[in-house]
Amino acid sequence: MKEDNGEGKVPVWKRPLTRRTFLKGTAIAGAAAATEGLFNLDLLWKVGPTAMAGGNGNVQVYRNACPRNCYDTCSMLSYVQNGVLKRVEGDPINTYTRGRLCPKGYSYTRRVYSPDRIKYPMRQVGGRGSGKWQRISWDEAMDIIARKILDLKKRYGSTLPVCLDKYSGNFEIMHYAVEGMMSSIGYTTQALGTPCWPAGIDAQTFDMGTLYNSDPEAMVDARYLILWGTNPAWTSVHGMHFVEDARKRGAKIVVIDPLITQTASKADLYIQIKASTDGALALGMARYILDHGLYNQAYLQNHVLGWQRFATYLRNQVTLPWAAEKTGVPQVVIETLAREYATTAPANIWIGYGLQRHINGGQTVRAIDALAAITGNMGRTGGGANYGNLQTWGFNYHAMSFGPPAGSKGVSKPDGTMTNRSVDINNFGADVLGTTNPPIKMLWIACRNPMSQDPESGVVAKAFRSMELVVTVDQFFNRSAKLSDIVLPCTTQFEYWGVDSSYWHYWVAINQQAIKPLFESKGDVEIAMALSRRMNQLEPGSCTYPVSGDMQEWLGMEFNPKMYKLLGIQDWRELFKGPRKANLPAAAWANGKYETPSGKYELYSQESQKWGHNPLPAYLEEMKPPDPGKYPYRFITPHWKLGLHSQFQNLDWLLVTNPEPWVEIHPRLAAEKGIRDGDVVKVYNALGWVTLKCRVTTTVPQSTLAAYEAWYPGLDYDLNYTLSATPTDMGAKATGSPGLAFHDNWVNVTRV
Ligand SMILES: Nc1nc2c(c(=O)[nH]1)N[C@H]1C(S)=C(S)[C@@H](COP(=O)(O)OP(=O)(O)OC[C@H]3O[C@@H](n4cnc5c(=O)[nH]c(N)nc54)[C@H](O)[C@@H]3O)O[C@H]1N2
Ligand SMILES: Nc1nc2c(c(=O)[nH]1)N[C@H]1C(S)=C(S)[C@@H](COP(=O)(O)OP(=O)(O)OC[C@H]3O[C@@H](n4cnc5c(=O)[nH]c(N)nc54)[C@H](O)[C@@H]3O)O[C@H]1N2
Ligand code: SF4
Ligand SMILES: [Mo]
């Protein structure tokens, strides 16, 4: 069923749109670029737009970047004719993107001009979830919101009843304006942490001091490459180029995953491990390496703290039969893997995010890191334990740097100053409902879809329903928007200015405004400005956010000398010529100096102990099914090829390719349950259920079900109905909240 989102009868892509002029924003232009490929982009830039214009219908080419929470953060070129975005492709200058996009990226034109986009500010007049929407003006919307904020402030003496939930819908730097908008109205309540990768971040922070992976392009230099709990064939398609290139140069590719993924299908060696026992595998390997003297004595001596203690732990607590029993991986395979890994240099481990979504995820990552440290693969080009990278994120965060109005009241810190209040982003529903004094009364949801991405969706819905006002800023009427009072339409990246870094590769790309904002959509910065305008009209001084500004100027204000140096430029506008790769060595930690308290790689971490963990990467028990009689099967719900969380799979091109979700069931379990391929089944536990078609396949272990998170409009499809808010061991140090054990979920299944 389609919502009445006020779209009218005219198909969106037929609306007359005014063409942009060259002068502002057009860095590179010309029909030639569109028709002749992009080898001469640099030439185009030098020749200048005017000279290249004309010919084939004045096609203008802009530089964009894909701002999604995706490893690849592709540099893009967009082709605009008469103000209409016609086509997008990868920018060949970026040697990670290599001139290509993924299927989601190629479908951006369908997203920009989707008839389902939120086009105007809308108010749900029939109550949340009623689907009765009424178009309102921006002024009206801002008036309702500003009045509610001021009313709450008056009633409760602070803006703490206003709560922000923002995460990764858009990772472009100026989108930190959302946080900036919140801090500019006073101290508020904010969802703290990340649902994504925090256990692994803490683990690597304890081991190395910060998050810093080697250049993933240097994977080609690996001679042994373990893809551990990651599925780049779906989640980092460009990453697979480097995996394949490494293989061509002689590397052996190993994939470790409970599921036989598309990545696993490309492996030389695939190891089907019992979920959440990877720590035991890594420690078993470490024991073998210790017993056979395959460790790197010089590296341990010079750069590693705690080897003796770790070795003692391995000798006393870890045996190969134990590791084999825990993991379900035969001992001979563990031995072979350990020997090959330790004797083939450089050996590289790509540590995935899926792997750490377990109650012991942090300790698992520490155990895997340890392998790279003891074999001296850390700091080696083509080696390392690579998880994520924040080295290219040193912007000014100008868009978020607006403090509360004078006299604002918040939560007192020990030093007497005030701060925001936080709720755990990974237990959002329950925390929002449980917060008192003052309670939370208003939600602002931006770049976030808690109704489909959070655990305990039922509780999240309850939290939404308990509010006086819920505002959601989005491009689509997703599950969270449907439970909101007001939705505000936001732009896509083609409609605004920005700059994008990756948490994986080393490239930074400018994002030019290529087309005018569609309908009445606004960027998140402009929305913050609009709110500030209205708040200050109603109560002067109630919001410190600027009320106007030129977005290109604002973009310039994100840069600083350190970023310029890193990118080898003097002015941010040089990025119009193309994305830049950061000036960093190919291998992270190449100088052997770590950012830990000791300056060494810390196998023994007092910091970890301070945060309540074992100081060593010791095994932390995996979760067992709490009620095995009723819910015996593990339910793994990883990321989907044609969607990115709740994005993309709703678009027509991707729906045509894949119209509906499914759950994967092993033939033996299916037989036991009387389920046949294609049957509709119910996957359920005490918390909730989801009904969907089943695929009988041997790609899942016998006692595991797998289904993939995505948003299919019109279907009540949400895997997280069944998911409880179980925290991971780590995450609190680096991100403020522990992570979420998404894959420690236990269910039963039946035919319906
Ligand atoms: N079952 C299960 N659940 C999971 C996971 C899993 O593996 N299994 N993975 C978890 C992980 S790793 C993550 S990172 C989270 C992701 O959770 P989210 O960050 O919430 O996910 P998205 O669906 O990517 O983005 C949310 C919304 O942002 C909107 N958006 C896009 N651009 C903009 C913009 O410019 N402005 C505004 N205001 N909104 C915009 C999108 O349309 C989308 O509706 O999900 C988690 N949930
Ligand atoms: N197409 C697409 N690309 C994406 C995303 C998307 O939604 N779609 N999301 C982006 C985001 S936010 C993230 S966080 C990354 C995630 O990137 P990945 O980590 O590659 O992806 P996931 O699907 O979370 O999990 C990867 C694998 O971990 C496995 N796994 C689960 N538990 C265990 C375990 O205990 N041990 C081992 N060895 N493996 C285990 C799962 O079976 C899965 O195959 O991808 C990013 N890229
Ligand atoms: S979703 Fe990822 S791979 Fe696809 S275009 Fe965006 S950044 Fe590139
Ligand atoms: Mo994520």
Side-chain angles (χ1 to χ4, degrees):
M1 201 188 72
K2 285 241 169 71
E3 297 82 7
D4 170 21
N5 53 8
E7 81 193 41
K9 294 277 180 281
V10 189
V12 219
W13 45 270
K14 282 193 183 148
R15 276 173 59 95
L17 294 164
T18 335
R19 217 182 93 217
R20 282 189 60 78
T21 58
F22 280 135
L23 294 175
K24 228 182 176 192
T26 316
I28 43 174
T35 51
E36 288 174 21
L38 297 152
F39 313 103
N40 51 1
L41 268 184
D42 219 43
L43 179 72
L44 277 180
W45 166 254
K46 281 174 199 136
V47 173
T50 326
M52 300 309 298
N56 219 347
N58 276 333
V59 175
Q60 295 166 290
V61 188
Y62 293 84
R63 293 202 184 279
N64 290 96
C66 181
R68 308 277 86 87
N69 182 351
C70 174
Y71 281 103
D72 293 8
T73 312
C74 290
S75 302
M76 304 174 78
L77 295 172
S78 58
Y79 294 84
V80 176
Q81 193 173 30
N82 300 327
V84 177
L85 178 69
K86 293 283 188 177
R87 186 162 68 88
V88 291
E89 61 186 34
D91 188 338
I93 291 180
N94 179 325
T95 51
Y96 191 87
T97 306
R98 294 195 193 194
R100 297 276 198 278
L101 302 173
C102 73
K104 308 180 292 300
Y106 283 122
S107 58
Y108 265 122
T109 46
R110 309 306 292 175
R111 177 163 175 159
V112 170
Y113 298 110
S114 166
D116 297 335
R117 261 185 83 167
I118 301 173
K119 302 179 184 67
Y120 315 105
M122 307 283 285
R123 186 178 196 184
Q124 194 159 212
V125 287
R128 290 174 206 127
S130 67
K132 282 199 183 136
W133 292 93
Q134 192 179 63
R135 181 177 168 183
I136 53 175
S137 68
W138 273 101
D139 284 348
E140 281 173 276
M142 287 302 145
D143 185 66
I144 296 166
I145 298 165
R147 281 182 196 279
K148 177 53 74 182
I149 294 171
L150 294 172
D151 166 54
L152 289 172
K153 188 158 95 173
K154 207 158 138 200
R155 277 158 57 204
Y156 292 99
S158 76
T159 45
L160 289 172
V162 182
C163 178
L164 170 67
D165 191 2
K166 180 205 177 212
Y167 191 51
S168 67
N170 192 319
F171 266 168
E172 186 282 315
I173 299 302
M174 290 221 282
H175 279 77
Y176 287 92
V178 178
E179 285 88 341
M181 177 187 75
M182 279 291 140
S183 59
S184 70
I185 63 171
Y187 296 104
T188 57
T189 306
Q190 308 209 352
L192 187 67
T194 125
C196 184
W197 55 341
I201 299 184
D202 264 14
Q204 293 225 319
T205 306
F206 295 136
D207 292 338
M208 304 163 205
T210 189
L211 200 59
Y212 176 20
N213 64 249
S214 294
D215 179 359
E217 295 177 45
M219 272 191 295
V220 296
D221 294 318
R223 286 297 162 271
Y224 205 78
L225 177 53
I226 304 182
L227 306 177
W228 204 324
T230 184
N231 185 14
W234 283 11
T235 59
S236 174
V237 287
H238 297 83
M240 285 307 279
H241 276 298
F242 302 98
V243 173
E244 292 292 347
D245 285 354
R247 190 214 303 275
K248 276 185 208 143
R249 295 197 195 177
K252 180 164 180 175
I253 312 295
V254 181
V255 171
I256 305 173
D257 199 303
L259 308 180
I260 306 179
T261 59
Q262 196 164 340
T263 306
S265 76
K266 310 273 182 205
D268 298 302
L269 171 65
Y270 163 65
I271 296 175
Q272 186 164 52
I273 191 166
K274 281 189 205 156
S276 197
T277 67
D278 305 76
L281 177 58
L283 293 168
M285 289 167 71
R287 173 73 203 255
Y288 183 92
I289 289 166
L290 171 67
D291 287 351
H292 294 79
L294 299 178
Y295 47 85
N296 184 325
Q297 188 61 47
Y299 198 81
L300 287 167
Q301 211 144 29
N302 295 325
H303 304 296
V304 178
L305 182 81
W307 168 233
Q308 285 316 325
R309 281 175 156 142
F310 185 48
T312 304
Y313 166 77
L314 292 174
R315 278 194 199 98
N316 293 339
Q317 306 284 327
V318 174
T319 67
L320 275 287
W322 167 81
E325 202 270 321
K326 270 277 172 211
T327 57
V329 180
Q331 184 171 334
V332 60
V333 175
I334 302 179
E335 289 169 353
T336 308
L337 180 65
R339 193 174 53 250
E340 288 181 355
Y341 173 76
T343 57
T344 320
N348 190 317
I349 308 178
W350 181 341
I351 303 175
Y353 305 131
L355 164 86
Q356 45 96 59
R357 304 196 215 287
H358 294 281
I359 57 163
N360 57 1
Q363 281 297 75
T364 298
V365 173
R366 286 203 70 203
I368 295 172
D369 287 348
L371 293 170
I374 66 176
T375 54
N377 272 301
M378 291 297 301
R380 200 180 257 167
T381 301
N386 297 302
Y387 182 72
N389 155 52
L390 296 175
Q391 307 298 308
T392 49
W393 290 72
F395 294 95
N396 289 341
Y397 298 93
H398 164 260
M400 73 180 276
S401 55
F402 299 95
S408 296
K409 290 211 179 68
V411 175
S412 300
K413 289 203 285 192
D415 65 4
T417 57
M418 296 278 184
T419 186
N420 289 323
R421 183 170 64 174
S422 64
V423 291
D424 182 349
I425 197 166
N426 290 323
N427 194 13
F428 184 69
D431 266 16
V432 164
L433 286 166
T435 299
T436 52
N437 199 20
I440 294 169
K441 290 289 172 191
M442 172 181 158
L443 297 180
W444 186 285
I445 313 282
C447 305
R448 185 78 177 118
N449 187 1
M451 274 304 301
S452 67
Q453 297 313 120
D454 278 20
E456 303 184 6
S457 322
V459 183
V460 178
K462 208 167 149 198
F464 270 57
R465 291 188 192 280
S466 73
M467 292 295 119
E468 291 181 18
L469 184 68
V470 180
V471 181
T472 293
V473 186
D474 211 298
Q475 290 151 3
F476 292 98
F477 277 91
N478 62 28
R479 297 173 72 85
S480 300
K482 282 182 175 175
L483 278 191
S484 304
D485 300 292
I486 291 184
V487 294
L488 302 174
C490 69
T491 45
T492 67
Q493 75 262 31
F494 305 100
E495 299 156 61
Y496 68 75
W497 287 92
V499 59
D500 294 82
S501 288
S502 159
Y503 53 76
W504 181 237
H505 62 62
Y506 286 4
W507 288 86
V508 173
I510 206 79
N511 181 76
Q512 296 180 287
Q513 186 180 357
I515 54 172
K516 281 192 169 177
L518 268 284
F519 300 95
E520 290 187 3
S521 60
K522 288 185 195 292
D524 285 291
V525 177
E526 280 143 339
I527 294 174
M529 289 175 170
L531 181 66
S532 184
R533 225 174 288 135
R534 188 61 192 140
M535 285 191 61
N536 282 305
Q537 280 164 1
L538 291 169
E539 189 184 303
S542 61
C543 181
T544 65
Y545 214 83
V547 295
S548 64
D550 178 89
M551 287 306 103
Q552 278 196 69
E553 271 170 35
W554 271 52
L555 183 51
M557 288 192 271
E558 294 294 355
F559 288 81
N560 54 48
K562 237 173 127 183
M563 280 306 287
Y564 283 153
K565 189 161 172 242
L566 193 67
L567 300 177
I569 53 177
Q570 265 90 49
D571 186 287
W572 65 275
R573 281 165 284 241
E574 287 177 55
L575 292 172
F576 289 162
K577 288 189 224 170
R580 302 281 303 186
K581 189 171 178 178
N583 258 321
L584 291 164
W589 310 111
N591 62 6
K593 293 198 175 82
Y594 291 89
E595 290 181 25
T596 53
S598 66
K600 292 188 167 190
Y601 180 101
E602 296 198 351
L603 281 171
Y604 186 90
S605 162
Q606 284 183 331
E607 191 60 18
S608 178
Q609 191 169 33
K610 225 165 70 190
W611 282 86
H613 316 297
N614 193 315
L616 288 169
Y619 191 69
L620 185 62
E621 282 298 316
E622 74 280 9
M623 188 170 170
K624 315 287 185 307
D627 191 352
K630 282 188 175 158
Y631 311 114
Y633 311 117
R634 190 186 279 278
F635 192 25
I636 298 190
T637 58
H639 299 194
W640 165 230
K641 173 168 64 171
L642 300 182
L644 198 135
H645 307 300
S646 59
Q647 307 192 60
F648 293 110
Q649 176 60 81
N650 61 309
L651 303 178
D652 54 358
W653 283 359
L654 300 174
L655 278 171
V656 164
T657 314
N658 174 65
E660 60 183 1
W662 70 94
V663 58
E664 292 166 354
I665 301 182
H666 192 277
R668 276 198 287 271
L669 177 58
E672 225 174 85
K673 296 274 180 184
I675 294 169
R676 281 166 317 205
D677 193 63
D679 280 353
V680 176
V681 299
K682 179 170 161 178
V683 178
Y684 65 97
N685 59 21
L687 210 61
W689 72 88
V690 54
T691 312
L692 72 179
K693 268 197 189 152
C694 119
R695 280 188 194 166
V696 176
T697 164
T698 48
T699 55
V700 286
Q702 199 174 327
S703 57
T704 296
L705 307 181
Y708 302 92
E709 42 139 29
W711 172 50
Y712 296 83
L715 290 187
D716 187 19
Y717 176 69
D718 180 3
L719 300 168
N720 293 349
Y721 279 134
T722 65
L723 180 69
S724 63
T726 308
T728 57
D729 52 346
M730 293 184 191
K733 175 186 159 74
T735 71
S737 298
L740 191 82
F742 285 100
H743 304 316
D744 289 334
N745 188 14
W746 308 92
V747 295
N748 208 330
V749 60
T750 183
R751 198 149 62 97
V752 290

